[in-house]
Structures are given as C-alpha cells and as structure tokens.
Amino acid sequence: KLTYAELNAKANSLAYKLREKGVKPDDFVALITDRSAEMVAAIYGVIKAGGAYVPIDPTYPEDRIAFMLEDSAPKAVLKFTNEAVNIPEGIEVIDLSDKSIWDCKSDDLAIVNKPSDLVYCIYTSGTTGKPKGVILENTGLVGLIKSYEEVFEMSSKDRMMQFASYCFDQSVGDIFGAMLNGAALYVVSTDMRYNMSELEAYMKSEKITVASLTPKVIRELDICGMPELRLLDSGGEAAELDVLREIAASGRKVINSYGPTEATVNTTYSEIKADTEKVVIGTPSCHTQVYIMNGSEMCGIGVPGELCIVGDGLARGYLNRPELTAEKFVKNPFGEGRMYRSGDLARWLPDGNIEYLGRIDEQVKIRGFRIELGEIESRIREIENINDCAVIAKEDASGDKAIYAYYTSERNVDISDVRNRLAESLPEYMVPAYMMQIEMFPVTRNGKLDKKALPEIEGKAAREYIAPRNEIEEKICDIFSEILNVEQVGIKDSFFELGGHSLRATRLVNRIEAETGTRIALKEVFAHPTVEQLAVLAGGESEEYVPIPKAEEKEYYPMSSAQKRTYLIQQMDPESTAYNMPGNLKLTGEIRADDLRAALQAMLDRHEILRTQFLMINGEPVQKILDHVEADFEYVTSEETDEKLIKDFLKPFDLASAKLVRMKLVNKGEYHLMMIDMHHIVGDGMSDEIFNRELMALYNGEKLEPLTHQFKDYSEWMHSRDLSGQAEYWKSQFDDEIPVLDMPTDFPRPQEQSFAGAMTSGLLDEKLSGQIKELVKKTGATEYMVFLAAAMITLSKYSRQEDIVIGSPISGRTHR
C-alpha cells in the first residue's frame, strides 16, 4: 500500500541520486524490477529527476531484454528483482534493494522538465520480429490524470489496485490516475496476479474501491461479492457484455475503456449499465478528438473506417523508427498537430458513441497485451526446417481469444520443439496456444492467404493417447478436459499444447489443490506441463525413469541389431552405395574452408560413432572406437559440371576404415558446391538432423553442450535388455508360410538384389485429398495408414494375392 506522502519522499531521494548520475530531460532510465512499492517509487523518482522510464519485465527472454536495453540506451538501470538478468557492460546499475538509496534528501526537487519532454517508453510487439518502443510525453500523462478525475471521480477516499503489468500501459493509468488524484495505491504481487482466489480475497480484505482489469480476469472474480468496490474499469481487449451488465446491476459503476499505447492509455470511455444492449467504446476523453476515416475522407455515421486520434495524448512516435513514426503519425488534416492512424476499425453510432469493429491490420489484443502477429511469424520462420507460417487470432472452443499458428516444412517438425524455441525469444503471452503443421497454405483467387480456409485446430495433442493409471492422474485429466474444453486427455498430453496459457494455468493449480489437497506453484505448471508430471507433484505414482547407464570401457563392443544387419548386407556387396546417405548443397557468399574442415573434425572428436570401425572378430560382428580419426575433407577448385562432381563423389565406404563420413568442398567461382556423404551404419534420418545442426553451430564458432551419452552406451544397454517377449511376438506373426509377392513385371526379377530403377511422384487433386482427410477424421486413422492400405490393396489387385507383407522403417529410439 502506498500513499502520496510516502511515495514522494522515496521518489525525491532516488531522484537526487539520478540527477547526480547526470539524468536530464529525454534521458532514459530502465526499470528491471519485480512488482513492489519500490517499483512505483522508482517510476516517480525517474520522472522527478527529469528523465523518462523504460519498464522491462525481468522474466522476458534474454535476447528481448538485450534488445530493449540496446535500443533505449538508458543512462542507468534500476534493478530490484530475484530473477537473473544479464545487463551489458557500460550501463550503470543501481540496486534498489540498497536502503541508502531511499534515505537521501527527501525535499522536492526543482522542476527541470517541460510538458513536451518524454515521460516513459513502453515496448509493444512489432511486425519486424523486434519490439518497438512507443515514447510518450508529459502532456499526455497530465491529460490522462485529468480524465481519471472526471470519468472515474477519483479522490483521497479511494483505494486503487495496481494490477496491470508495469510493462503494459494500463499500469500508467493505475499508478498516476490514483496517486495524483490523492488515492492510495495497492500494488499486488506477481504471484497474486495469477491466483484468482488469492486476488479476490485480497481485494475484499483491503477494501479496494477502484480496479482496472481485463475481461478475462473479471470473468474469474466475484466482483459482486466485493461491497467496497465502487468502480470497475474493463479494458485491454473486447469487453464481455453479460458479465459487465451483471456487475452494473449490483450497483457498481462499470466503465469500458479503449486506447492504444500511442495515445496515452485511454482514448475513449463508455459506461456499461444493467440494460446496455451493445458494448461500445464510448466517446473521446477530455484531451482527445477521434475521427473515423476512409483514407483521407471522413466516414459518415454508421460507415466503418479507421479510428484516428488527435490531441495532447499522442505519443512523440516510435523510438529509433522515423519511417514508422512518419507512417502512423500524419499531419492533422482538420487542424493543428498530428493525427495517429490506429489501424483499428470502428464506426460512429447515431447516439454519438463509437463502436469498435476489430483490426484493419494483423495486430490483436490477447489477454490485454497488444500483439503484432507478424512478430510471431518472424520468430517461427527462424526455426530450423520451417519453410513458411501463418499466424491468426480467433476465439477457441472455450470462447477465449487465442493465437493459432500454422507452419509448413518438408520434415515433420514437432510442435513441442516449436513451442520451446518460441519460448526462448517471446514472452509467454505471445507463444501460440494452438499450432499445426500443414502441407500447404490455402489461397484466395488473388493468391493471398485464405484465412477462413485454414483448418480448425482442436485442443488435442499429437501424442499417442495413454489412459490415466491411478486416481490422481484421472482427476488431473478431468481438470485438463474441463478447463481446456478437450474431450479426451491422456497422461502424456501437455497443458500448453492443448491451448493452456498463464490465466488458465492459475485455474488449473486451484482445481488441483481443491481436488487433491496439494498446492502446486504456478511456475511448476510451466516446468512440468503434462498430466503425468503434475500427478507426481500432486502425490501420484509414476513409472520410474531409468537412465541409460554408461558402458564400461573395452576394446570391442558388439554391434547393435541395426548395425549388424546393415553390416552383413554391405558385406554381401562391398561395392554397393545403397546405404550411403549423400547430400549436396550449393553455397553462395563467403565460405571459410578451414573452418568447415575444423567443424567436421570437431564432429568426429565429439561423436564416437563417427570414428568407429566395423569388424568381424572370431566370427562375431563388432565395433571398435578409435581415439582419433583425421577428417576426410577435401577442398578443390573445378570447372566440371555439378552433376559430374556429384556422381564421382558417390563411392562405397570401407566399414573397417572408421572413415564413414566424408566431405568435399568445390570452388566453382560464383559459388561453392559442398558434398557430404555418411554411411547408414553410423547415422539415419534423425542423426542427420543432429549432424547438420551441430556442424553448422561449430562452423559458426558456437560452443556445444558436452554429450552425456555415446552410441555405445545405448547399444550396450539394448544388449542387456530382455526383448524375448517382443521377439516371440514378431516370430509368431510369421509362423505360417511367408507370402512372396508375385508381381507381373516387364522384366524378370534378377537373382541378386538390384537398386537400379527410378522414382515417380504425383499430386492428388483437391477432391481426392479432401476425401482422404474426411476418411481419416471419421475413422480416427492417420493419412499414413490410408496410403499404406491403398498400397497394399493395389499390390493385391496386381498380384491377385490376399496376404501382402510390407516392411516399414522406424527410428528405433525407445528411450528419451
């Protein structure tokens, strides 16, 4: 709890300190703090010193914090957090936990800043993949404080709750609207912001009179059961009429406010009453004018157009983005000053109110945060193997607005991997709740993305369904199902892959506590998002995880089953290249041959399997790991055709040589041809992906995490397992006579296996493709199952046989 007198003394003390550091008007001071009284005092202290504050959430990803600090170039960083935050050298850090900072002079300072000086910079999502800083001036803040006095009727009798994140512009209204109108300010803790039952109890016990909340939070609270709350402000996203009408009917004043960050928090206000029939954003505040425009023309009543704002509340623009500033802040065609083009679609109603109709561009508001979908798309496209993506926002099955992401790739890219990569660079609220890999994007006749034709993403995981094994797992599955509106939940399903987010996670921990009596911290849900993991935290049982043990050191190790098979087939035809895994890349730009050679050598040194000999000792196929093998790398200049070079490069491997990876880099003048080949006995499709990723990382000078296991550890572990039950099953499948496919062919099949032949491919038309998808949906099968069945029926038709045997390769990885 803060009163102005307490705040003023603390702020003055800090302000003197900042002035000593040389802070002056239009200088930035960054705030990286947890929610606390010190946070509010620090904000006031920066302004009293004459500077402008830049709020940075300490839980943001490291690269986002680094960008914001680099972009704003603050004079100092005020830090007060338990989070580990890397702050670049050269920026002075003031630790707000040092009590001496608050115990200096507390007299009011001489005012040095003018109305046109900057007061704060808040970063919002940006289409380029980087956040953009919106810089606001003192004039706008004064107008906002005035509107709180007029619209909210704030006074010294009020107790205002500071709920919004201080990195979200609603916090500006909470803090300044309260303190500079004489009210007391109550700052709720970070944990309480995500625990609705605690928040509700707090609001009642502290007798909060005024609160500004997002519709999703309002829905979770019993506002009508708070006798002291006289005014509720709903903002940040589209209001929920039924909920607000019920609150208004209980005798409270209910305000629906609207405003972009670029116009100092609130631009328009509307009062919701018990008989309100339609949610509107109301009329402009005291320091603002609003125009509805179609290009350069004003729209008539009822005609949709772009909502444009004029007045003292406008931001100066975007920090270090002059082109974007010039695009969005244009000359006011109806008078002095500038006009901000919001990108929001709206229309005037006959009664003088404004109705909000959505976004013209791709910017949306989710849970109160303004998000550029283009930023999320930029981040997804950076992920390895993803070709393209589309991100949209729409209501999910539970009625919440959520982010949906679709992506294409030539490989199967796991949704969990995409989610984890995005979490490294985006705040939690920007990570899509629903994701799907699709073959291609639907387009309109004009060749543009057809958003309406994108497939529905149901709240279901792509994982195999595994039923709950005990009472606690069953309860948590039911809770997942209820909160996420998902029909069937298995123990391996992840809360966030099914559409969960932080607000839903708070409901989850509350329900788990109610059902099991165990309190789980919110952060544990992010660290352990599956039913199985949460059940363990809640006291349930889980199968014990047994790690693969390290193999003992010896001269020879038996080959794995897969290696043995590959080895024996290769020995039958040593000159065969059937098990080679070649790849060819055309590289443009500067290529550092020595670094590429060093990266290949580092891969051989790192992975034992890449320096392993395959031998026959005493009639047994074994593998022998060498301490060092020189990388088989060649760098030449050639004018031969690529086709000739690629053909000549492909040659058999000697499995006893331990040189089972080779690379050749050819300088062709305008570009380089990089050819790489690996034998299947040391790698497969999944290893290939690891090899490429690590090779590129080493080439670029990155350090890789040390390996905990080598292939021999896995191979030895597999030999120690009792797989007799599995062996018996497969033998039993072929107890009867094994059918040999009798296909009529143009030429007789040779006695020796031959790989001479060709591949042919075709594209299914839209109608047949749609029918297959419908069949898959109806039967609960997969597309692979449909095509395999079709292949078997085709072979049956040609051979007139009923028993068809098809071998299907799998990765064989049975341990995480």
Side-chain angles (χ1 to χ4, degrees):
K1 176 191 170 185
L2 274 171
T3 62
Y4 186 77
E6 296 165 336
L7 175 73
N8 197 42
K10 279 192 163 191
N12 283 342
S13 179
L14 177 61
Y16 277 111
K17 208 77 159 172
L18 292 172
R19 287 239 181 126
E20 288 171 13
K21 305 289 184 189
V23 172
K24 56 186 185 299
D26 278 11
D27 281 346
F28 289 119
V29 177
L31 268 68
I32 305 181
T33 81
D34 295 327
R35 298 169 61 80
S36 62
E38 283 77 8
M39 173 194 81
V40 180
I43 288 172
Y44 266 84
V46 172
I47 297 170
K48 277 179 165 283
Y53 74 95
V54 183
I56 299 176
D57 191 325
T59 65
Y60 279 169
E62 194 174 308
D63 66 342
R64 195 176 185 89
I65 293 175
F67 172 79
M68 292 163 78
L69 288 173
E70 181 187 356
D71 191 49
S72 61
K75 254 296 176 28
V77 169
L78 304 180
K79 186 167 171 284
F80 186 78
T81 177
N82 293 321
E83 300 282 342
V85 180
N86 288 327
I87 298 171
E89 290 183 13
I91 301 178
E92 180 155 8
V93 179
I94 298 174
D95 185 358
L96 298 182
S97 63
D98 180 357
K99 291 183 179 176
S100 67
I101 287 169
W102 309 108
D103 295 336
C104 301
K105 288 175 68 176
S106 59
D107 302 339
D108 283 329
L109 292 81
I111 297 172
V112 295
N113 41 355
K114 303 183 296 296
S116 58
D117 288 336
L118 294 178
V119 65
Y120 63 85
C121 171
I122 281 184
Y123 279 85
T124 66
S125 175
T127 53
T128 61
K130 298 285 187 186
K132 56 180 186 284
V134 185
I135 44 179
L136 285 298
E137 298 176 349
N138 284 287
T139 307
L141 187 52
V142 173
L144 176 70
I145 295 161
K146 185 72 176 168
S147 70
Y148 266 65
E149 180 188 12
E150 293 184 357
V151 179
F152 289 21
E153 299 171 320
M154 295 292 291
S155 73
S156 59
K157 296 176 184 176
D158 279 312
R159 297 164 175 235
M160 177 88 178
M161 184 172 72
Q162 204 275 292
F163 175 82
S165 162
Y166 77 121
C167 297
F168 172 39
D169 67 339
Q170 181 53 53
S171 66
V172 178
D174 291 349
I175 294 169
F176 294 96
M179 302 300 299
L180 295 183
N181 281 305
L185 186 71
Y186 288 72
V187 183
V188 297
S189 68
T190 301
D191 289 343
M192 196 183 294
R193 287 182 67 235
Y194 294 113
N195 189 315
M196 296 298 107
S197 58
E198 273 190 32
L199 181 66
E200 189 174 301
Y202 175 82
M203 292 175 72
K204 289 177 181 175
S205 66
E206 297 299 336
K207 300 178 179 177
I208 299 298
T209 63
V210 179
S212 291
L213 302 168
T214 60
K216 298 296 179 288
V217 175
I218 293 169
R219 187 205 292 170
E220 300 291 327
L221 298 173
D222 177 21
I223 301 290
C224 296
M226 301 177 187
E228 277 80 14
L229 189 76
R230 67 167 186 84
L231 185 141
L232 175 71
D233 171 37
S234 171
E237 57 189 344
E240 299 185 11
L241 184 59
D242 291 346
V243 176
L244 296 185
R245 280 199 305 204
E246 184 183 342
I247 295 167
S250 70
R252 287 153 183 79
K253 186 172 185 178
V254 178
I255 300 290
N256 181 40
S257 58
Y258 157 87
T261 307
E262 289 84 349
T264 319
V265 190
N266 291 337
T267 299
T268 66
Y269 298 94
S270 167
E271 186 173 353
I272 306 288
K273 300 198 171 176
D275 58 353
T276 298
E277 294 181 0
K278 178 189 284 188
V279 171
V280 294
I281 59 174
T283 56
S285 63
C286 58
H287 62 299
T288 304
Q289 299 89 51
V290 170
Y291 298 89
I292 308 295
M293 305 288 292
N294 180 7
S296 59
E297 300 293 323
M298 272 200 283
C299 296
I301 292 170
V303 178
E306 184 177 15
L307 191 152
C308 298
I309 305 164
V310 172
D312 294 338
L314 291 194
R316 187 183 292 181
Y318 300 105
L319 183 61
N320 302 324
R321 303 283 293 278
E323 291 179 3
L324 185 61
T325 300
E327 177 191 333
K328 290 290 188 179
F329 294 85
V330 300
K331 185 180 181 301
N332 178 10
F334 309 110
E336 295 181 359
R338 300 169 306 147
M339 172 187 280
Y340 170 65
R341 307 196 74 103
S342 72
D344 285 329
L345 196 64
R347 64 178 177 178
W348 287 110
L349 298 178
D351 62 2
N353 280 299
I354 301 167
E355 182 182 12
Y356 176 81
L357 300 173
R359 287 293 300 171
I360 293 171
D361 56 17
E362 293 304 307
Q363 192 186 85
V364 295
K365 276 201 173 181
I366 302 285
R367 287 147 52 203
F369 292 96
R370 197 174 85 177
I371 295 168
E372 292 276 7
L373 299 180
E375 179 175 0
I376 302 171
E377 290 181 346
S378 297
R379 294 299 188 188
I380 294 175
R381 289 192 182 100
E382 290 171 2
I383 296 173
E384 191 177 16
N385 296 324
I386 287 183
N387 298 335
D388 200 3
C389 68
V391 178
I392 62 171
K394 62 176 183 176
E395 284 191 359
D396 62 14
S398 64
D400 286 348
K401 200 165 197 180
I403 302 173
Y404 289 67
Y406 303 82
Y407 57 88
T408 59
S409 174
E410 290 160 10
R411 300 185 180 188
N412 183 29
V413 180
D414 189 71
I415 289 172
S416 297
D417 292 341
V418 177
R419 186 179 303 280
N420 292 338
R421 283 291 306 277
L422 291 177
E424 293 172 8
S425 58
L426 293 175
E428 176 271 328
Y429 62 83
M430 289 180 70
V431 177
Y434 302 92
M435 288 190 260
M436 176 188 276
Q437 181 171 338
I438 58 177
E439 289 182 14
M440 61 181 70
F441 290 111
V443 293
T444 62
R445 290 180 182 177
N446 297 329
K448 295 181 179 179
L449 175 69
D450 186 356
K451 293 179 183 176
K452 292 179 181 176
L454 285 167
E456 284 294 324
I457 307 179
E458 295 175 16
K460 62 178 183 182
R463 304 172 189 277
E464 178 188 358
Y465 173 73
I466 300 177
R469 300 161 297 188
N470 55 52
E471 188 183 353
I472 290 183
E473 286 183 346
E474 195 170 332
K475 283 180 178 177
I476 296 176
C477 281
D478 289 342
I479 294 168
F480 269 42
S481 182
E482 178 190 327
I483 292 174
L484 302 173
N485 200 30
V486 176
E487 195 170 320
Q488 187 182 62
V489 177
I491 63 169
K492 299 289 184 183
D493 290 342
S494 164
F495 184 74
F496 298 105
E497 286 179 18
L498 295 176
H501 52 62
S502 56
L503 275 180
R504 288 177 177 172
T506 60
R507 290 176 60 198
L508 175 69
V509 295
N510 291 338
R511 284 298 312 281
I512 290 175
E513 184 177 9
E515 293 287 334
T516 68
T518 303
R519 173 81 185 201
I520 296 174
L522 183 68
K523 65 181 180 181
E524 294 294 348
V525 179
F526 289 90
H528 307 92
T530 68
V531 171
E532 182 179 38
Q533 293 167 331
L534 289 170
V536 173
L537 294 176
E541 298 172 0
S542 182
E543 292 178 10
E544 185 184 358
Y545 170 72
V546 181
I548 293 175
K550 302 288 281 185
E552 64 176 270
E553 295 296 327
K554 48 190 179 182
E555 188 175 2
Y556 301 109
Y557 299 90
M559 292 185 203
S560 71
S561 298
Q563 286 173 330
K564 204 180 293 184
R565 177 181 180 277
T566 307
Y567 179 81
L568 293 173
I569 291 173
Q570 186 73 57
Q571 296 311 104
M572 289 184 213
D573 183 6
E575 296 304 306
S576 170
T577 58
Y579 282 98
N580 287 40
M581 295 167 55
N584 310 292
L585 290 172
K586 183 184 281 189
L587 307 175
T588 58
E590 182 193 350
I591 306 299
R592 306 185 305 277
D594 288 344
D595 287 352
L596 196 55
R597 182 196 302 272
L600 181 60
Q601 185 64 58
M603 286 296 289
L604 268 62
D605 296 342
R606 175 176 169 81
H607 295 277
E608 291 177 353
I609 191 69
L610 301 182
R611 44 188 163 86
T612 296
Q613 293 176 300
F614 295 88
L615 310 163
M616 193 69 79
I617 304 288
N618 298 326
E620 285 296 318
V622 296
Q623 49 186 324
K624 176 182 172 69
I625 299 160
L626 302 185
D627 292 332
H628 178 78
V629 170
E630 199 66 31
D632 188 346
F633 181 92
E634 189 180 1
Y635 181 45
V636 298
T637 300
S638 175
E639 294 181 0
E640 288 188 321
T641 65
D642 291 355
E643 289 76 12
K644 176 80 165 53
L645 289 165
I646 289 167
K647 183 181 178 184
D648 292 346
F649 179 69
L650 187 65
K651 54 190 178 186
F653 282 100
D654 175 8
L655 301 189
S657 71
K659 288 200 170 190
L660 299 179
V661 182
R662 64 171 74 102
M663 186 185 290
K664 187 171 185 176
L665 184 66
V666 185
N667 188 340
K668 299 295 298 288
E670 293 182 0
Y671 61 90
H672 283 73
L673 177 66
M674 186 178 91
M675 299 175 288
I676 188 164
D677 198 3
M678 178 188 298
H679 197 278
H680 194 23
I681 203 165
V682 300
D684 61 2
M686 290 177 77
S687 335
D688 197 34
E689 193 174 320
I690 296 166
F691 182 92
N692 291 334
R693 185 174 67 245
E694 292 192 356
L695 181 74
M696 290 302 107
L698 291 165
Y699 175 76
N700 286 306
E702 296 174 30
K703 287 190 176 178
L704 300 176
E705 289 289 322
L707 297 175
T708 58
H709 288 76
Q710 295 283 350
F711 182 80
K712 71 169 187 290
D713 302 319
Y714 169 77
S715 181
E716 290 290 280
W717 172 71
M718 283 295 287
H719 279 295
S720 71
R721 298 176 67 204
D722 180 10
L723 303 178
S724 56
Q726 295 185 35
E728 285 306 313
Y729 168 81
W730 285 110
K731 285 177 184 175
S732 71
Q733 296 300 302
F734 297 98
D735 274 348
D736 299 333
E737 185 180 346
I738 301 172
V740 177
L741 187 67
D742 185 20
M743 280 281 284
T745 54
D746 292 336
F747 305 99
R749 191 169 189 141
Q751 290 299 308
E752 285 186 13
Q753 188 177 18
S754 167
F755 293 94
M759 295 178 73
T760 182
S761 62
L763 198 64
L764 299 188
D765 62 43
E766 189 175 351
K767 183 182 176 185
L768 182 55
S769 178
Q771 289 172 330
I772 291 171
K773 290 180 192 301
E774 277 300 311
L775 178 62
V776 163
K777 208 172 179 182
K778 196 181 297 180
T779 58
T782 64
E783 290 177 1
Y784 173 79
M785 290 160 68
V786 172
F787 282 109
L788 185 63
M792 296 178 99
I793 290 168
T794 303
L795 295 174
S796 174
K797 296 283 187 188
Y798 275 106
S799 65
R800 299 176 65 83
Q801 292 171 254
E802 289 190 2
D803 287 346
I804 307 291
V805 178
I806 293 181
S808 179
I810 59 168
S811 78
R813 287 157 171 80
T814 59
H815 193 292
R816 81 180 187 205

